[in-house]
Amino acid sequence: MDQKSIRTVIMRGGTSKAMFLREEDLPQDKAKRDQIILKVFGSPDVRQIDGLGGADPLTSKLAIIAKSDKPNVDVEYTFGQVSYVAPLIDYSGNCGNISSAVGPYAVDEGLVQIEEPVTTVRILNTNTGKMLYEKVQVGGGKAKVKGDYVIAGVPGSGAEVVVDFSDTAGSATGKLLPTGNVLDDIEVAGFGKIQASLVDAANPVVFVRAADLGMTGIETPKQIDENGKLLAALEEIRGKAAVMMGLCGKWEDAVKEIPAFPMVAYVAPAQGYNDFTTGKAIAESDVDFVSRLLFMQVTHKTYAGTATTCTGAAARIEGTVVHQAMMAKDRGKDIAVRIGHPAGVIALNVAAEQRNGDWTLTRAEVNRTARRIMEGTCYYIDSE
């Protein structure tokens, strides 16, 4: 045959979508493996017209799954952010939204011992070496899909999946605060010296104040993506933070070497705005603060799951720009932290405490929904 094939499942996890492949179906040689994956996605091509990719950072995602033989681990999960502008798959971090689909996938594929009505799936994320624990609602031996849990950015409702990220501090750097500081200064062309908070939980994120960049904090993705000066400044901040975190050598190389991580976000105190997708009003009282997140050099239409964990952690660490934004209107005193993003609100139960002078993440639970959309065979043209 002119084409080869590989079994494929497309899953929505939270506000993202990914292709799920089994590790056993892929070659061990990483270069050959990535060639196949790029063919399956149709990359590099901005439309990904010759593959299954969705031509958007939120739908050009990969999950490689293997049943684990390690003690106290059910499945091993490798996340890949597949570029559609370059022949590149970024494995440097995890995706929280796609993580929420790994548990239901493992249940449906028979990779875990099923218990009803709730199965806890123990997941080792190989990108970060961190454990995730997911509570999946189960009925009739399969992951439930129908339910009344609603998340901003996804139509309708679904069965709630609870993802425990509390074991993910220092995912890329080994430290919750990679520099040891709650605030660091970064020199930014056109803006001068601005304060940033570098935090690493689930994935590393660098946070800055919206006001320091001349922003309100409630801009739409379109307004941000059309602001060339702002995008350049945010990428400079991200790159310089990556160097400070020890993730790359020169900040100018960050976009080529590690385009996905760290992520960069700006924050501002709680305020009202409209959901850019539906026009629904989000009241100031609905959020503890607002944030806009950049991922793969474009604005995230909602908010990344791992960035939710990291933002929540930053909100609990006294003195960070996120904590300052939350406390500006005396918010965030309950266990749930509510983040206002472009399409609504995402909340997580999060706690951190200081022990012997160091901050420790003690709780981080994000609730999502997920479902299987397609299963079957994907055909691709092998380069050999």
Side-chain angles (χ1 to χ4, degrees), residues 230-250:
L230 174 63
L231 292 178
L234 289 168
E235 182 58 23
E236 183 177 348
I237 292 166
R238 192 186 77 86
K240 289 183 175 178
V243 174
M244 295 166 70
M245 291 177 173
L247 300 177
C248 68
K250 293 172 58 179

Side-chain angles (χ1 to χ4, degrees), residues 9-14 101 104 108 144-145 369-374:
V9 172
I10 295 179
M11 298 279 298
R12 177 187 63 77
D108 288 347
K144 285 188 176 181
V145 173
T369 63
R371 77 176 186 94
R372 179 176 294 230
I373 294 174
M374 187 281 291

Side-chain angles (χ1 to χ4, degrees), residues 184-383:
D184 287 287
D185 292 330
I186 298 179
E187 190 74 32
V188 184
F191 293 92
K193 188 179 293 184
I194 67 172
Q195 288 187 318
S197 295
L198 283 56
V199 184
D200 183 5
N203 268 325
V205 183
V206 51
F207 301 96
V208 294
R209 299 183 188 92
D212 289 347
L213 297 170
M215 298 291 110
T216 65
I218 56 173
E219 287 78 14
T220 67
K222 185 174 186 289
Q223 288 172 327
I224 297 171
D225 291 339
E226 291 179 348
N227 189 333
K229 181 182 178 182
L230 174 63
L231 292 178
L234 289 168
E235 182 58 23
E236 183 177 348
I237 292 166
R238 192 186 77 86
K240 289 183 175 178
V243 174
M244 295 166 70
M245 291 177 173
L247 300 177
C248 68
K250 293 172 58 179
W251 78 261
E252 296 89 347
D253 294 335
V255 70
K256 293 182 292 184
E257 295 178 2
I258 45 172
F261 308 104
M263 289 178 271
V264 58
Y266 64 75
V267 297
Q271 53 197 292
Y273 62 99
N274 292 323
D275 173 351
F276 89 100
T277 60
T278 65
K280 176 185 175 182
I282 309 298
E284 178 189 311
S285 58
D286 292 335
V287 301
D288 293 314
F289 56 91
V290 294
S291 182
R292 297 297 182 261
L293 178 74
L294 271 287
F295 179 67
M296 296 292 286
Q297 293 71 55
V298 296
T299 310
H300 201 293
K301 302 298 190 299
T302 55
Y303 215 76
T306 53
T308 298
T309 299
C310 196
T311 305
R316 294 301 189 207
I317 298 173
E318 295 176 8
T320 68
V321 296
V322 183
H323 181 262
Q324 291 173 16
M326 180 174 67
M327 298 308 296
K329 296 186 178 180
D330 198 28
R331 299 292 174 85
K333 293 184 176 179
D334 294 330
I335 193 168
V337 170
R338 303 166 301 164
I339 304 166
H341 61 71
V345 182
I346 186 168
L348 76 158
N349 294 329
V350 59
E353 61 184 47
Q354 216 169 5
R355 298 174 180 172
N356 299 319
D358 294 325
W359 282 94
T360 300
L361 183 65
T362 58
R363 182 174 184 178
E365 289 182 347
V366 180
N367 300 343
R368 303 274 80 190
T369 63
R371 77 176 186 94
R372 179 176 294 230
I373 294 174
M374 187 281 291
E375 62 180 28
T377 301
C378 178
Y379 293 91
Y380 64 93
I381 302 173
D382 199 348
S383 56

